Amino acid sequence: MAKKELEKPVPVHDGKTRCSWCGTDALYTKYHDEEWGRTIHDDNIFFEFLTLEAAQAGLSWITILRRREGYKKAFANFDVEKVAAFTDADQARLLQDEGIIRNRLKVSSAIRNAQLFMDVQKEFGSFNKYLYSFMPGGKPITTYHGPQVSTPESDAIAKDMKKRGFKFFGTTICYAFMQATGMVNDHVPQCDFR
C-alpha cells in the first residue's frame, strides 16, 4: 500500500473520520476507535498484546483480532502467571484449539515469553517500567511522523527483548505493539479518534 493511501483518512458511515487501515469492518472499527493508540500502563494488557502481536507474525492483524476471544480462553484470560506455568499437556491442548493459530513455534514461544515477561517484571518492578525506560523522557510518543514500521525505540526494545530470549518480537512487531498500547499515537492528524 502506498504511503499516501495509508495517510488518507476515511469517513465511515457514522460521519466520523478514521485512519484508513481500519476500513469499514465493524470489529476493526471498534478496535480502532476504542483501543488502538490509547495509552495503557497495565501489565496484564501488555501481556495480552505481547501474545497477540507475536501470534500475528506473518498474518494480518484482523486475523488475530477475530480470534482474540479464542486466545483469551486458551491463554487463561492472559494471566501471565498461569501461562508461564503451562505444561507440555497444555501446549498439546493449545495445538488442538481451533480458536487460535495452531502454530507449534508460536504456541511454545507464548509460554516462554510469559516466563520471560515475569523475569522482566521482577527485574524492573513492572513490564510497564521496563518498556517506558526506552521511551524519550519515559513518555508516549504523540507526534505523528507518518506511516512507519519501526523506530529507534522499537529497534532498541526488540533488540533487548531478543537478548532476553523473547521470540516473535522483532522491531516491526514491536512497533505494532507500541501502536496498539499507545506507546506511540499513530492516528493520522485528521482522525477523530486521535
Side-chain angles (χ1 to χ4, degrees):
M1 192 175 293
K3 182 177 178 180
K4 284 290 180 203
E5 290 175 47
L6 286 171
E7 289 183 20
K8 187 178 176 188
V10 176
V12 180
H13 61 281
D14 61 2
K16 301 277 187 194
T17 300
R18 293 177 171 83
C19 302
S20 62
W21 62 261
C22 68
T24 57
D25 180 283
L27 183 61
Y28 236 3
T29 302
K30 181 177 171 44
Y31 171 71
H32 168 273
D33 295 359
E34 297 175 9
E35 290 185 82
W36 193 74
R38 303 275 180 252
T39 302
I40 58 106
H41 293 284
D42 183 325
D43 275 10
N44 295 328
I45 297 172
F46 280 131
F47 179 65
E48 175 180 359
F49 277 99
L50 174 70
T51 304
L52 295 175
E53 292 288 355
Q56 186 254 333
L59 303 169
S60 67
W61 180 241
I62 192 67
T63 299
I64 301 304
L65 206 52
R66 288 183 178 135
R67 287 176 170 81
R68 191 175 190 179
E69 282 305 310
Y71 273 92
K72 189 175 183 178
K73 289 176 190 163
F75 286 92
N77 200 29
F78 299 108
D79 182 318
V80 70
E81 290 182 20
K82 288 180 181 176
V83 176
F86 276 5
T87 63
D88 290 344
D90 290 310
Q91 185 168 329
R93 170 186 54 81
L94 290 169
L95 291 172
Q96 299 303 314
D97 190 329
E98 294 182 5
I100 66 170
I101 303 300
R102 295 174 290 172
N103 176 296
R104 183 174 305 280
L105 291 175
K106 288 181 181 181
V107 168
S108 64
S109 73
I111 297 165
R112 182 63 184 139
N113 285 353
Q115 296 161 353
L116 296 167
F117 188 98
M118 290 177 62
D119 290 344
V120 168
Q121 286 178 313
K122 286 176 191 152
E123 182 179 343
F124 287 84
S126 71
F127 202 75
N128 176 71
K129 286 181 185 172
Y130 165 72
L131 290 173
Y132 275 89
S133 72
F134 293 93
M135 301 300 286
K139 304 233 184 271
I141 298 169
T142 57
T143 305
Y144 182 71
H145 296 286
Q148 302 178 88
V149 295
S150 67
T151 60
E153 293 80 14
S154 69
D155 292 345
I157 294 168
K159 182 178 178 183
D160 190 73
M161 287 178 69
K162 181 178 182 178
K163 186 174 73 178
R164 292 171 182 274
F166 285 87
K167 302 287 186 211
F168 291 100
F169 206 76
T171 189
T172 301
I173 290 174
C174 182
Y175 191 70
F177 171 89
M178 292 168 68
Q179 291 173 307
T181 60
M183 293 176 70
V184 61
N185 184 342
D186 267 351
H187 286 277
V188 295
Q190 308 90 332
C191 181
D192 288 334
F193 297 89
R194 181 158 175 77

